[in-house]
């Protein structure tokens, strides 16, 4: 599967952005989807993940974004979203979407993901 992330940009602290990740092919629902980010000089870190079937109880968040970010997906549109609110300068990073085979236990570990998008840059100004 090929992934294309979009929606990044420059936003002031306290603002909102919605990232999208479009997947190619007709097998999107066979994958759990995750968002990761990498800030300059830092390692890539987990942000959020959603199981192949979406819905309540099937989403997971890093503590740093819980209550501010929401991950969702539309399988009919082969797209996963990351709605980001109350953004902080510390959220500045390149955000990547990633796909993990649905038969695997959903994971916050980047090594468990098989496919990656190219990244979209988010800059939050103070």
């Amino acid at each position: 599967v090929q992934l294309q992330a979009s929606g990044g940009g420059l936003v002031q602290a306290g603002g909102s952005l919605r990232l999208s990740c479009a997947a190619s092919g007709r097998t999107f629902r066979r994958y759990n989807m995750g968002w990761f980010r990498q800030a300059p000089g830092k390692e890539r870190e987990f942000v959020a993940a959603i199981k192949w079937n979406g819905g309540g109880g099937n989403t997971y968040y890093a503590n740093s974004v819980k209550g501010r970010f929401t991950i969702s997906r539309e399988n009919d549109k082969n797209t996963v979203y990351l709605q980001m609110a109350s953004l902080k300068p510390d959220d500045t990073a390149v955000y990547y979407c990633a796909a993990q085979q649905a038969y695997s236990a959903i994971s916050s570990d980047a090594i468990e993901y098989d496919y990656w998008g190219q990244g979209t840059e988010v800059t939050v100004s103070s």
Side-chain angles (χ1 to χ4, degrees):
V1 62
Q2 292 184 322
L3 305 174
Q4 181 75 36
S6 62
L10 174 64
V11 63
Q12 288 188 332
S16 300
L17 275 177
R18 189 176 80 158
L19 306 183
S20 299
C21 175
S24 63
R26 295 179 290 178
T27 60
F28 181 66
R29 63 182 67 245
R30 297 181 184 176
Y31 295 93
N32 302 325
M33 297 299 297
W35 285 97
F36 291 77
R37 66 186 182 187
Q38 187 166 17
K42 295 187 178 181
E43 293 186 353
R44 191 169 298 189
E45 65 174 2
F46 170 75
V47 175
I50 186 166
K51 292 185 71 174
W52 66 273
N53 54 346
N58 291 325
T59 57
Y60 306 87
Y61 298 93
N63 287 335
S64 59
V65 306
K66 200 172 293 184
R68 299 188 298 121
F69 291 10
T70 303
I71 189 171
S72 61
R73 65 190 294 163
E74 291 187 272
N75 285 345
D76 290 345
K77 295 183 178 180
N78 284 8
T79 303
V80 62
Y81 306 97
L82 185 68
Q83 179 68 49
M84 306 186 294
S86 302
L87 283 162
K88 306 174 183 180
D90 284 349
D91 295 318
T92 294
V94 177
Y95 283 71
Y96 299 89
C97 57
Q100 178 200 32
Q101 297 283 353
Y103 56 72
S104 302
I106 197 164
S107 175
S108 61
D109 191 344
I111 200 170
E112 299 292 334
Y113 287 76
D114 305 294
Y115 302 97
W116 291 82
Q118 87 290 358
T120 185
E121 188 168 4
V122 173
T123 303
V124 183
S125 63
S126 56

